[in-house]
Amino acid sequence: MKHNFTYKLIDRLSQPILDELKRYVVQGAYSASNDFQEYTLTIRNLHTIEQPVLAMFEQHLSKFFRLDGHIGTNVARMVPGGYVPEHSDYTANTYGSRQDSIVKMQIPIITNPGAGLCWRWDKNSRAEALFLEEGGVYVFDNCKIHSSVNFGTEDRYWITTRWDVKSVIDSSII
């Protein structure tokens, strides 16, 4: 969704939810997505998470969205030295044509100071690099051209969650 901001920290996960998600994200299989290079970023759907942890996560986000507006959530693992080239999510295979109606959030679960998002400079805004803090819930403008990097020495695991803009309860987030 296009915003009048590049990104916004709207909340932080509670420590119990973050701890459970940290345990979850390092387990299980990740696979390639049709939107990313396998050697850089692999994906795991969040619906495979244990039900009590998933319920805690959804309950946390329900202060911002009606749960029937949930479009999809996944965990993305990026290897050290990984780089997703500049792109706009309008070109994504999975949700590309629906971007104007999607609020997208990034939630770092395990990260490092070298992992971040970058936005291309344009005539209206300066280039920005964002290093997201663990457990932060960030809304961002995924329609602007951006890229993702992991210059750290460890895998980074971020949750990406998408919600229908019509399900927004707290309009201050958009």
Side-chain angles (χ1 to χ4, degrees):
M1 175 176 183
K2 293 180 183 177
H3 300 283
N4 62 1
F5 55 86
T6 305
Y7 65 89
K8 184 189 294 189
L9 175 66
I10 62 165
D11 202 11
R12 289 182 174 78
L13 295 178
S14 69
Q15 197 61 50
I17 294 173
L18 183 59
D19 290 344
E20 286 298 318
L21 288 169
K22 282 182 178 186
R23 184 179 58 78
Y24 164 76
V25 299
V26 297
Q27 302 171 1
Y30 284 77
S31 59
S33 159
N34 60 356
D35 288 325
F36 303 107
Q37 301 288 341
E38 183 173 8
Y39 60 83
T40 299
L41 195 73
T42 50
I43 303 294
R44 182 173 183 204
N45 288 327
L46 196 65
H47 70 267
T48 60
I49 194 169
E50 297 163 9
Q51 189 56 42
V53 179
L54 182 59
M56 286 171 45
F57 179 75
E58 288 179 339
Q59 180 63 34
H60 188 89
L61 294 181
S62 71
K63 59 186 161 185
F64 303 110
F65 302 95
R66 290 188 327 272
L67 293 180
D68 64 350
H70 182 242
I71 294 171
T73 299
N74 61 268
V75 180
R77 176 177 65 194
M78 182 177 275
V79 299
Y83 171 72
V84 173
E86 287 186 327
H87 65 284
S88 165
D89 286 6
Y90 278 124
T91 61
N93 291 320
T94 307
Y95 299 107
S97 63
R98 298 180 57 201
Q99 290 309 317
D100 290 328
S101 64
I102 294 175
V103 178
K104 186 172 179 182
M105 295 184 294
Q106 295 281 1
I107 306 169
I109 302 303
I110 297 174
T111 194
N112 64 72
L117 296 170
C118 302
W119 280 269
R120 178 190 281 180
W121 177 87
D122 64 27
K123 66 181 180 179
N124 299 317
S125 61
R126 294 180 46 181
E128 294 187 63
L130 175 62
F131 301 99
L132 305 169
E133 66 180 78
E134 284 185 355
V137 179
Y138 295 84
V139 173
F140 79 100
D141 187 337
N142 56 315
C143 297
K144 290 181 181 176
I145 294 175
H146 61 281
S147 60
S148 184
V149 298
N150 182 3
F151 294 132
T153 58
E154 306 284 329
D155 288 349
R156 68 90 166 142
Y157 299 85
W158 290 0
I159 289 178
T160 300
T161 186
R162 297 161 194 84
W163 297 79
D164 188 303
V165 70
K166 293 176 186 166
S167 70
V168 171
I169 295 170
D170 179 355
S171 63
S172 72
I173 69 169
I174 58 171

